Amino acid sequence: MELVFTGRVIEWRGPAPYYFVRVPDEESGDIREVAATATYGWGVIPVEARIGEIAFETSLFPRDGGYLLPLKKAVRAPQGLGSGDEVAVTMTVRL
């Protein structure tokens, strides 16, 4: 399942800051339809994603009925991405 969407980078404060892009409601609904097949536990969903020139593998975190796409520093730093930036995401759910 391939999804394309845009979203804002959000910062989640904790012991260390974490950065995510919230998956929009429509795409989250599509993911929920295959979640039981895709998850490897705790509701996380493995994905391959691309933002700009950087492709990466990660897992979506379930949150408030939707999903958050984590953005590691290795994805953010080379592109100068920070909280509030709008990004285009191409993402494939790994089934």
Side-chain angles (χ1 to χ4, degrees):
M1 166 186 295
E2 184 171 287
L3 305 166
V4 177
F5 60 91
T6 59
R8 284 201 193 284
V9 176
I10 57 173
E11 183 178 2
W12 184 296
R13 295 246 175 214
Y18 294 93
Y19 294 84
F20 299 92
V21 175
R22 178 173 289 287
V23 178
D25 292 341
E26 183 177 339
E27 287 79 1
S28 288
D30 293 341
I31 294 167
R32 278 193 297 279
E33 290 180 12
V34 299
T37 305
T39 188
Y40 56 86
W42 308 289
V44 297
I45 308 292
V47 298
E48 296 170 3
R50 174 177 293 280
I51 295 176
E53 298 297 317
I54 299 182
F56 58 102
E57 294 182 2
T58 189
S59 293
L60 301 176
F61 293 4
R63 181 73 179 167
D64 298 330
Y67 295 94
L68 298 175
L69 173 68
L71 300 180
K72 295 178 183 177
K73 186 175 183 178
V75 175
R76 294 186 331 272
Q79 301 183 88
L81 298 175
S83 183
D85 290 339
E86 187 87 9
V87 295
V89 178
T90 301
M91 185 174 71
T92 302
V93 175
R94 296 188 333 231
L95 300 175

